[in-house]
Amino acid sequence: MTGHGHRAVTFMVVGSTTGSPLAAAFSLMGAVLPDSLERVVLWGDRSRYHRRLTHWFIPWLVLTLFCFHHANWSVPSAAALVSGREGTLWGCASFWLMGCLLHILEDACCGTVPLLNPWRASFGIHLFRMAPKAGEMSAGEMAFTLVVVLFSLAAWAKRGITL
Ligand SMILES: [Zn+2]
């Protein structure tokens, strides 16, 4: 999935399920981290290792649960952040990591990612095809992103915003 698709879907899904713009903003920051790690930090040439170790959900899940535990399983809000409520920064970190987990799930919708073996991308469904040129959205990805964003927008509007 492209970075634009990841950002739009992750921000809207987290925002609509939590009602918190702060949680959505932190998940947005994590929305392309697995690809950024793959490209910038680990390997310059992605072809051989694309969607392998950086797209293995288990370490991201462990880190997310660790942060959620320290956040007392609460959703961070701007009001809690301003008042310095204990655990709010852990909550922000947990949603940042949640963005990484959603990235992997989104990639699994248009290809494969590792399940138990981090060196073998074996889990995923081909819900839509990617555009042949990197960075371009295919018609399928645009439709998928649009449907998720519109449903999330409706759910978020119904739920209201928690500041
Ligand atoms: Zn990816």
Side-chain angles (χ1 to χ4, degrees):
M1 201 164 176
T2 62
H4 297 311
H6 280 302
R7 289 185 193 96
V9 168
T10 301
F11 181 84
M12 292 308 296
V13 165
V14 170
S16 64
T17 53
T18 63
S20 167
L22 187 67
F26 272 90
S27 70
L28 180 68
M29 285 191 258
V32 292
L33 186 63
D35 282 349
S36 301
L37 280 175
E38 186 177 271
R39 189 178 308 121
V40 179
V41 181
L42 296 181
W43 304 280
D45 175 20
R46 302 171 64 195
S47 54
R48 201 170 156 204
Y49 300 103
H50 183 49
R51 291 184 180 174
R52 300 287 167 91
L53 195 58
T54 57
H55 287 59
W56 188 33
F57 77 97
I58 291 177
W60 296 113
L61 181 63
V62 169
L63 288 171
T64 304
L65 293 175
F66 177 80
C67 291
F68 263 126
H69 171 73
H70 284 281
N72 295 318
W73 308 97
S74 65
V75 173
S77 66
L81 190 65
V82 169
S83 69
R85 190 182 307 155
E86 195 180 327
T88 306
L89 288 177
W90 284 106
C92 292
S94 62
F95 277 94
W96 179 61
L97 292 161
M98 181 71 81
C100 300
L101 276 172
L102 284 171
H103 174 108
I104 295 167
L105 190 63
E106 291 152 14
D107 273 352
C109 289
C110 58
T112 53
V113 293
L115 191 57
L116 296 178
N117 180 352
W119 299 110
R120 203 169 147 254
S122 59
F123 166 73
I125 53 171
H126 294 274
L127 204 57
F128 56 88
R129 286 180 187 275
M130 293 296 295
K133 196 172 173 189
E136 281 184 7
M137 283 180 111
S138 66
E141 184 183 350
M142 272 191 231
F144 174 81
T145 302
L146 191 65
V147 166
V148 172
V149 166
L150 289 177
F151 272 100
S152 300
L153 196 60
W156 201 347
K158 193 174 172 189
R159 179 186 190 106
I161 292 178
T162 308
L163 292 176

